[in-house]
Amino acid sequence: RDQTTSLTLAGLLGSVLGRVGSHPSMKVVLLGATGATGKRLAKQLLAKKHRVTAIVRNTKTEALAPVASDANFTQVQGTVLDFSVEEIAKHVSQCEAICVCLGHNLSFGGIFGKPRLLVTDSLKKIVRCVGKSDPKKKIKLVLMSSNGCQAHGTGLEEKYSRADRFLLGLFYFLLPPHKDNVLAAKWLRSDAFKQAHPNVEWVQVRPGDLIENESEAYEMM
C-alpha cells in the first residue's frame, strides 16, 4: 500500500475543500480536529482564512495549541454523538462545509470498545442536522476514509487480488474501525442518502497508510 503523511493528507483535504467550495472564505465545521490529520487540517484551513469550528472532546489538548488563539477558530467541547440535534443544528446552520477526520484510538479500548460506529453514527447525525433551518441550502462534505474502503457500485472499483479481497473481508469482521469506515462510505453512496440529502455534495478521500513525516508532493486530478 502507498504511504501518505498526515501533513500531506491534511493538504489534500484542504485542497479538495478549496476546489469544491464556492466561497473564498467558508465556515467549516471540523470533526476529529485533535487527531494527527485533523489538527494539521485545522491549521491549513485557518491559513487560507476559512472560519473553523472544531467539535472536540477536550478543549485543553496541546494538539490545537498552535491555532487556539486564532480569531477564526472556535472550539466546542463535546461530541456529535452526545449533543442533541438542536445543539448540532446550531453549529452547522451557518456553515458551508463539514470535514470529518474522525478515527478510533489505536488502543484495545479504542479499537474494540464503544462507540464501534463512531465515524458512521457521527456522520449520519451531523448530516441530518444540515438544512434544519434552510432545507434548500447546499453544503460540502469531505470524509477522510482509507484505501481499504472499496468503491463498490461507483464504476471506479479498483482491481484487488484474491488475497487482498480475503484480507479486507477478514478486517471487516475482525476490526471494528475498518467496518466503521466501510459503512460510513457505503451510506454516502446509498440511494437513501441521495434521496434524503440532495443538497449535500460530498467527496471521500482515501489515503494509504498514514505516517508521521514531512509533507510530500501530490497532484489534484
Side-chain angles (χ1 to χ4, degrees):
R1 301 298 182 192
D2 293 334
Q3 290 187 324
T4 308
T5 69
S6 298
L7 186 57
T8 300
L9 178 56
L12 179 57
L13 288 165
S15 297
V16 169
L17 187 59
R19 175 168 289 191
V20 300
S22 57
H23 302 275
S25 176
M26 294 182 289
K27 180 179 178 181
V28 182
V29 171
L30 176 59
L31 306 185
T34 58
T37 301
K39 65 183 181 183
R40 291 173 168 84
L41 179 57
K43 187 175 181 179
Q44 293 192 21
L45 290 173
L46 291 166
K48 294 180 179 180
K49 305 304 180 183
H50 296 306
R51 292 161 291 145
V52 178
T53 296
I55 299 178
V56 295
R57 285 192 299 266
N58 181 10
T59 58
K60 304 298 183 182
T61 177
E62 288 297 315
L64 295 176
V67 298
S69 60
D70 193 299
N72 286 327
F73 183 71
T74 303
Q75 295 186 72
V76 178
Q77 186 168 14
T79 71
V80 168
L81 297 182
D82 291 335
F83 284 153
S84 67
V85 170
E86 291 74 21
E87 287 177 303
I88 300 171
K90 179 179 66 175
H91 296 300
V92 302
S93 62
Q94 300 300 319
C95 77
E96 286 91 30
I98 298 172
C99 288
V100 181
C101 296
L102 289 170
H104 296 254
N105 291 328
L106 296 180
S107 64
F108 185 85
I111 294 174
F112 297 103
K114 296 181 179 180
R116 287 200 166 192
L117 297 180
L118 169 68
V119 180
T120 303
D121 290 344
S122 297
L123 178 66
K124 287 182 177 181
K125 191 170 182 179
I126 197 167
V127 168
R128 285 169 181 158
C129 293
V130 170
K132 284 289 184 181
S133 58
D134 183 3
K136 295 183 178 180
K137 178 182 177 180
K138 290 188 178 296
I139 196 165
K140 317 296 181 182
L141 171 68
V142 180
L143 171 67
M144 184 183 76
S145 186
S146 75
N147 65 357
C149 298
Q150 302 175 66
H152 292 302
T154 64
L156 301 172
E157 296 88 346
E158 300 90 345
K159 293 183 179 180
Y160 287 89
S161 68
R162 183 175 297 178
D164 280 346
R165 292 198 302 272
F166 173 78
L167 285 174
L168 288 174
L170 196 62
F171 290 160
Y172 182 86
F173 289 105
L174 296 181
L175 296 176
H178 177 64
K179 181 177 182 179
D180 189 13
N181 284 329
V182 170
L183 292 178
K186 185 177 180 180
W187 181 66
L188 288 178
R189 296 195 304 269
S190 69
D191 289 336
F193 174 85
K194 295 175 185 176
Q195 294 170 6
H197 308 287
N199 293 324
V200 177
E201 300 177 3
W202 65 272
V203 64
Q204 174 192 5
V205 179
R206 303 185 303 146
D209 299 329
L210 287 175
I211 59 174
E212 287 292 326
N213 208 331
E214 294 300 319
S215 179
E216 300 169 347
Y218 59 88
E219 183 177 356
M220 288 287 292
M221 303 300 291

